[in-house]
Short mmCIF file of all heavy atoms in Angstrom, two decimals:
data_model
loop_
_atom_site.label_atom_id
_atom_site.label_comp_id
_atom_site.label_asym_id
_atom_site.label_seq_id
_atom_site.Cartn_x
_atom_site.Cartn_y
_atom_site.Cartn_z
N GLU A 142 6.75 -15.05 -20.54
CA GLU A 142 5.78 -16.12 -20.60
C GLU A 142 6.31 -17.06 -21.63
O GLU A 142 5.60 -17.55 -22.63
CB GLU A 142 4.41 -15.47 -21.20
CG GLU A 142 3.55 -15.02 -20.02
CD GLU A 142 3.19 -16.14 -19.03
OE1 GLU A 142 2.97 -17.21 -19.30
OE2 GLU A 142 3.24 -15.69 -17.70
N GLN A 144 6.69 -20.19 -21.09
CA GLN A 144 6.08 -21.52 -20.99
C GLN A 144 4.71 -21.47 -21.75
O GLN A 144 4.17 -22.61 -21.84
CB GLN A 144 5.84 -21.78 -19.50
CG GLN A 144 7.12 -21.79 -18.74
CD GLN A 144 7.31 -20.44 -17.90
OE1 GLN A 144 6.79 -19.32 -18.35
NE2 GLN A 144 8.05 -20.40 -16.79
N HIS A 145 4.19 -20.43 -22.00
CA HIS A 145 2.90 -20.34 -22.75
C HIS A 145 2.94 -19.60 -23.97
O HIS A 145 2.59 -18.41 -24.08
CB HIS A 145 1.92 -19.70 -21.71
CG HIS A 145 1.80 -20.36 -20.39
ND1 HIS A 145 2.28 -19.74 -19.22
CD2 HIS A 145 1.37 -21.64 -19.98
CE1 HIS A 145 2.08 -20.53 -18.19
NE2 HIS A 145 1.50 -21.60 -18.74
N PRO A 146 3.49 -20.21 -25.04
CA PRO A 146 3.60 -19.55 -26.34
C PRO A 146 2.23 -18.91 -26.80
O PRO A 146 1.24 -19.59 -26.77
CB PRO A 146 3.96 -20.75 -27.29
CG PRO A 146 4.65 -21.68 -26.48
CD PRO A 146 3.82 -21.67 -25.08
N VAL A 148 0.87 -16.42 -25.43
CA VAL A 148 0.14 -15.58 -24.31
C VAL A 148 1.23 -14.62 -23.94
O VAL A 148 2.53 -14.95 -23.58
CB VAL A 148 0.00 -16.55 -23.18
CG1 VAL A 148 -0.55 -15.79 -21.88
CG2 VAL A 148 -0.96 -17.60 -23.40
N GLN A 173 2.56 -19.42 -8.55
CA GLN A 173 2.53 -18.63 -9.88
C GLN A 173 3.45 -17.36 -9.83
O GLN A 173 3.54 -16.68 -10.70
CB GLN A 173 1.23 -18.13 -10.14
CG GLN A 173 0.11 -19.16 -10.56
CD GLN A 173 0.07 -19.33 -11.97
OE1 GLN A 173 0.89 -18.92 -12.72
NE2 GLN A 173 -1.01 -20.03 -12.54
N LEU A 225 -4.99 -16.64 -11.64
CA LEU A 225 -6.08 -16.97 -10.64
C LEU A 225 -5.84 -18.43 -10.10
O LEU A 225 -5.35 -19.24 -10.78
CB LEU A 225 -7.41 -17.10 -11.45
CG LEU A 225 -7.92 -15.56 -11.87
CD1 LEU A 225 -9.09 -15.78 -12.88
CD2 LEU A 225 -8.19 -14.69 -10.68
N VAL A 227 -6.83 -22.13 -9.36
CA VAL A 227 -7.57 -23.18 -10.09
C VAL A 227 -9.05 -23.17 -9.54
O VAL A 227 -9.20 -23.13 -8.34
CB VAL A 227 -7.01 -24.49 -9.97
CG1 VAL A 227 -7.74 -25.59 -10.56
CG2 VAL A 227 -5.53 -24.53 -10.66
N ILE A 243 -6.09 -13.22 -20.58
CA ILE A 243 -6.01 -14.64 -20.73
C ILE A 243 -4.97 -15.33 -19.77
O ILE A 243 -5.05 -16.54 -19.47
CB ILE A 243 -5.70 -15.07 -22.21
CG1 ILE A 243 -5.89 -16.55 -22.57
CG2 ILE A 243 -4.32 -14.63 -22.55
CD1 ILE A 243 -7.42 -16.98 -22.52
N ARG A 244 -3.93 -14.52 -19.56
CA ARG A 244 -2.88 -15.13 -18.60
C ARG A 244 -3.41 -15.53 -17.30
O ARG A 244 -2.86 -16.53 -16.67
CB ARG A 244 -1.73 -14.16 -18.41
CG ARG A 244 -0.65 -14.52 -17.41
CD ARG A 244 0.08 -15.81 -17.88
NE ARG A 244 1.13 -16.44 -16.95
CZ ARG A 244 0.77 -17.16 -15.86
NH1 ARG A 244 -0.55 -17.49 -15.57
NH2 ARG A 244 1.68 -17.52 -15.18
N ALA A 245 -4.49 -15.00 -16.84
CA ALA A 245 -5.11 -15.32 -15.50
C ALA A 245 -5.58 -16.82 -15.51
O ALA A 245 -5.77 -17.36 -14.42
CB ALA A 245 -6.24 -14.30 -15.24
N THR A 246 -5.80 -17.40 -16.69
CA THR A 246 -6.30 -18.89 -16.67
C THR A 246 -5.04 -19.79 -17.04
O THR A 246 -5.50 -20.93 -17.41
CB THR A 246 -7.35 -18.97 -17.71
OG1 THR A 246 -6.86 -18.62 -19.08
CG2 THR A 246 -8.58 -17.94 -17.38
N CYS A 247 -3.91 -19.36 -17.03
CA CYS A 247 -2.80 -20.19 -17.29
C CYS A 247 -2.08 -20.64 -16.01
O CYS A 247 -2.06 -20.03 -14.98
CB CYS A 247 -1.76 -19.61 -18.14
SG CYS A 247 -2.52 -19.14 -19.82
N GLY A 248 -1.46 -21.94 -16.06
CA GLY A 248 -0.69 -22.43 -14.86
C GLY A 248 -1.60 -22.97 -13.82
O GLY A 248 -2.93 -22.92 -14.03
N THR A 249 -1.04 -23.43 -12.81
CA THR A 249 -1.80 -23.88 -11.58
C THR A 249 -1.35 -23.27 -10.34
O THR A 249 -0.43 -22.57 -10.27
CB THR A 249 -1.86 -25.38 -11.47
OG1 THR A 249 -0.47 -25.73 -11.16
CG2 THR A 249 -2.16 -26.12 -12.78
N ASP A 250 -2.06 -23.66 -9.20
CA ASP A 250 -1.55 -23.00 -7.98
C ASP A 250 -0.16 -23.34 -7.54
O ASP A 250 0.41 -22.80 -6.77
CB ASP A 250 -2.56 -23.49 -6.83
CG ASP A 250 -3.95 -23.01 -7.20
OD1 ASP A 250 -4.24 -22.35 -8.11
OD2 ASP A 250 -4.88 -23.48 -6.36
N THR A 251 0.33 -24.60 -8.10
CA THR A 251 1.66 -25.04 -7.72
C THR A 251 2.71 -25.07 -8.86
O THR A 251 3.85 -25.26 -8.72
CB THR A 251 1.57 -26.44 -7.20
OG1 THR A 251 0.96 -27.33 -8.04
CG2 THR A 251 0.71 -26.43 -5.81
N ASP A 252 2.21 -24.88 -10.09
CA ASP A 252 3.06 -24.85 -11.28
C ASP A 252 2.78 -23.87 -12.15
O ASP A 252 1.73 -23.84 -12.93
CB ASP A 252 2.86 -26.27 -11.93
CG ASP A 252 3.87 -26.50 -13.16
OD1 ASP A 252 4.67 -25.53 -13.31
OD2 ASP A 252 3.67 -27.39 -13.85
N ARG A 253 3.60 -22.73 -12.30
CA ARG A 253 3.46 -21.63 -13.13
C ARG A 253 3.56 -22.01 -14.64
O ARG A 253 2.89 -21.39 -15.46
CB ARG A 253 4.44 -20.59 -12.86
CG ARG A 253 4.30 -19.28 -13.44
CD ARG A 253 5.49 -18.30 -13.12
NE ARG A 253 6.60 -18.51 -13.86
CZ ARG A 253 7.87 -18.29 -13.39
NH1 ARG A 253 8.03 -17.68 -12.47
NH2 ARG A 253 8.91 -18.72 -14.21
N ALA A 254 4.28 -23.16 -14.92
CA ALA A 254 4.39 -23.59 -16.23
C ALA A 254 3.28 -24.41 -16.84
O ALA A 254 3.32 -24.79 -18.01
CB ALA A 254 5.76 -24.21 -16.44
N ALA A 255 2.46 -24.89 -15.99
CA ALA A 255 1.35 -25.79 -16.51
C ALA A 255 0.48 -25.17 -17.50
O ALA A 255 0.53 -23.81 -17.63
CB ALA A 255 0.47 -26.06 -15.24
N PRO A 256 -0.10 -25.86 -18.52
CA PRO A 256 -0.78 -25.34 -19.59
C PRO A 256 -1.94 -24.42 -19.24
O PRO A 256 -2.43 -24.51 -17.88
CB PRO A 256 -1.33 -26.61 -20.32
CG PRO A 256 -0.46 -27.81 -19.87
CD PRO A 256 -0.06 -27.43 -18.53
N CYS A 257 -2.39 -23.69 -20.17
CA CYS A 257 -3.49 -22.78 -19.77
C CYS A 257 -4.84 -23.71 -19.66
O CYS A 257 -4.98 -24.71 -20.40
CB CYS A 257 -3.72 -21.74 -20.97
SG CYS A 257 -2.24 -20.66 -21.07
N SER A 258 -5.87 -23.28 -18.96
CA SER A 258 -7.08 -23.91 -18.79
C SER A 258 -7.78 -23.95 -20.11
O SER A 258 -7.85 -22.91 -20.77
CB SER A 258 -7.82 -23.27 -17.73
OG SER A 258 -9.05 -24.01 -17.59
N THR A 259 -8.50 -25.03 -20.24
CA THR A 259 -9.36 -25.18 -21.53
C THR A 259 -10.79 -24.90 -21.23
O THR A 259 -11.66 -24.92 -22.09
CB THR A 259 -9.12 -26.67 -22.10
OG1 THR A 259 -9.70 -27.56 -21.06
CG2 THR A 259 -7.86 -26.88 -22.51
N GLU A 260 -11.10 -24.57 -19.90
CA GLU A 260 -12.44 -24.34 -19.51
C GLU A 260 -12.48 -22.93 -18.82
O GLU A 260 -11.97 -22.70 -17.72
CB GLU A 260 -12.98 -25.33 -18.55
CG GLU A 260 -14.37 -25.24 -18.23
CD GLU A 260 -14.92 -26.30 -17.47
OE1 GLU A 260 -14.16 -27.21 -17.04
OE2 GLU A 260 -16.25 -26.43 -17.28
N THR A 261 -12.86 -21.89 -19.66
CA THR A 261 -12.76 -20.57 -19.15
C THR A 261 -14.03 -19.81 -19.56
O THR A 261 -14.98 -20.35 -20.35
CB THR A 261 -11.55 -19.75 -19.83
OG1 THR A 261 -11.82 -19.70 -21.15
CG2 THR A 261 -10.35 -20.40 -19.51
N ARG A 293 -12.26 -19.93 -14.24
CA ARG A 293 -11.59 -21.06 -14.81
C ARG A 293 -12.22 -22.27 -14.09
O ARG A 293 -12.48 -22.21 -13.03
CB ARG A 293 -10.07 -20.92 -14.72
CG ARG A 293 -9.53 -20.55 -13.39
CD ARG A 293 -8.07 -20.62 -13.30
NE ARG A 293 -7.44 -21.86 -13.84
CZ ARG A 293 -6.11 -22.09 -13.87
NH1 ARG A 293 -5.21 -21.10 -13.66
NH2 ARG A 293 -5.69 -23.26 -14.34
N GLU A 294 -12.31 -23.29 -14.86
CA GLU A 294 -12.80 -24.64 -14.31
C GLU A 294 -14.03 -24.42 -13.70
O GLU A 294 -14.99 -24.00 -14.30
CB GLU A 294 -11.69 -25.25 -13.38
CG GLU A 294 -10.45 -25.71 -14.04
CD GLU A 294 -9.42 -24.69 -14.13
OE1 GLU A 294 -9.31 -23.82 -13.09
OE2 GLU A 294 -8.69 -24.52 -15.12
#
Side-chain angles (χ1 to χ4, degrees):
E142 277 304 323
Q144 304 97 335
H145 305 110
V148 176
Q173 291 269 17
L225 293 173
V227 174
I243 193 69
R244 175 60 184 84
T246 62
C247 298
T249 67
D250 299 356
T251 58
D252 183 5
R253 192 180 74 205
C257 299
S258 175
T259 58
E260 189 172 9
T261 65
R293 56 179 298 177
E294 296 89 32

